[in-house]
Every structure is written in C-alpha cells, then in structure tokens.
Amino acid sequence: MIDSLDRIILRTLQKDGRMTATALASEVGLTVAPCHRRLKDLEQSGVIRGYRAEVDPAKVGLGFGAMVFVTLRETSTDAIRAFEDAVVAEPQIIEGYRLFGDPDFLLRCVAEDLPGYQRLYDQHLAALPGVAKLTSTIVMRDLKGAGGLPL
C-alpha cells in the first residue's frame, strides 16, 4: 500500500517525469537516499509503470483523431484474446479499452488526415479479428488528454 509521501512523489512525477532523484527529494522534503529507495520500490512494485514523453500528435503529422466503438461477433476467450492481440499490434491505435455491455471495446486512433483514417479503417480496423460492427466518431478537440491520476 502506498502512503501519503508516496502519493506526493507520484503527484510530483506526474507533472515532471524527467525530474532527477535529487530534485524530487528536495521537492517532497526527503533526503536523496530515502527518496530514491521509495522511487525504486514504486517502480519495482509496478505502481510506476514507466516514463515517456508526451508528444503533440498534430506536430508529428497525426492530428486526426477518432474514437472507434467495436462490437465483436462473439465474446469467447479466444475471440477476445485474438482481437486484443491485434489491437496491441496496431501502432495507430493508441488507446484501447474493453467495456462492459455493448459495444465491447473503445479504441482511440490517430491518423494524418481523413483519407489516412479511411485507409486505417479499411485496411486494419475492419480486418481486426472477430469484428461485427465498427462505429467511428471524429475527435473535434482534445480537451483533456491522458493526464495524471488524482493522487
């Protein structure tokens, strides 16, 4: 279980994941050794899953976004596993969620533009294993991207 000091460390790192251990220790009011030990414990226990840069999709030519609702023909364990494996393998699907009820999944996709999304849809999304129905909705504006957790 994480304590209030771990939460402060996590909240701080969510704002700046590139912060050095020394700067982090100073920010949270610890000396370097105990802060580093807590940080390693959070990483090894899987609380911290990794570190990455937040990239602006439009500035790398992927400014078109779509949310895609997916209904599968069947929901057997094998069908779900095959679908999920194919989703994970597709780089233009940047988020994927299995849902309760109907539809079965929600995917967040990126493309360079509408024709690029049409190619993704026709060549990859429609070809995902077990798909019965795809419903796309275009993202007009990203109000609040994948942010930090409310710790």
Side-chain angles (χ1 to χ4, degrees), residues 35-53:
C35 183
H36 189 262
R37 188 171 43 255
R38 281 177 174 267
L39 184 57
K40 288 298 173 199
D41 288 346
L42 291 167
E43 291 169 349
Q44 290 174 350
S45 67
V47 173
I48 295 176
R49 297 191 292 194
Y51 300 90
R52 71 177 117 213

Side-chain angles (χ1 to χ4, degrees), residues 121-133:
Y121 185 97
D122 293 344
Q123 297 170 11
H124 299 279
L125 299 178
L128 289 169
V131 170
K133 180 181 176 184

Side-chain angles (χ1 to χ4, degrees), residues 6-102:
D6 289 335
R7 288 181 184 280
I8 293 169
I9 291 169
L10 294 169
R11 194 169 38 248
T12 304
L13 285 174
Q14 284 184 145
K15 293 176 187 168
D16 182 2
R18 293 184 63 177
M19 184 177 281
T20 66
T22 303
L24 178 63
S26 174
E27 183 79 20
V28 302
L30 290 174
T31 59
V32 174
C35 183
H36 189 262
R37 188 171 43 255
R38 281 177 174 267
L39 184 57
K40 288 298 173 199
D41 288 346
L42 291 167
E43 291 169 349
Q44 290 174 350
S45 67
V47 173
I48 295 176
R49 297 191 292 194
Y51 300 90
R52 71 177 117 213
E54 186 177 338
V55 178
D56 183 330
K59 292 187 178 173
V60 294
L62 295 169
F64 185 92
M67 304 301 279
V68 182
F69 297 95
V70 181
T71 302
L72 299 181
R73 282 190 298 274
E74 65 172 286
T75 55
S76 68
T77 301
D78 290 341
I80 290 170
R81 185 175 303 119
F83 177 81
E84 289 177 349
D85 289 347
V87 164
V88 169
E90 175 52 55
Q92 285 182 264
I93 301 172
I94 60 171
E95 292 180 55
Y97 304 95
R98 184 169 177 200
L99 308 174
F100 279 105
D102 189 35

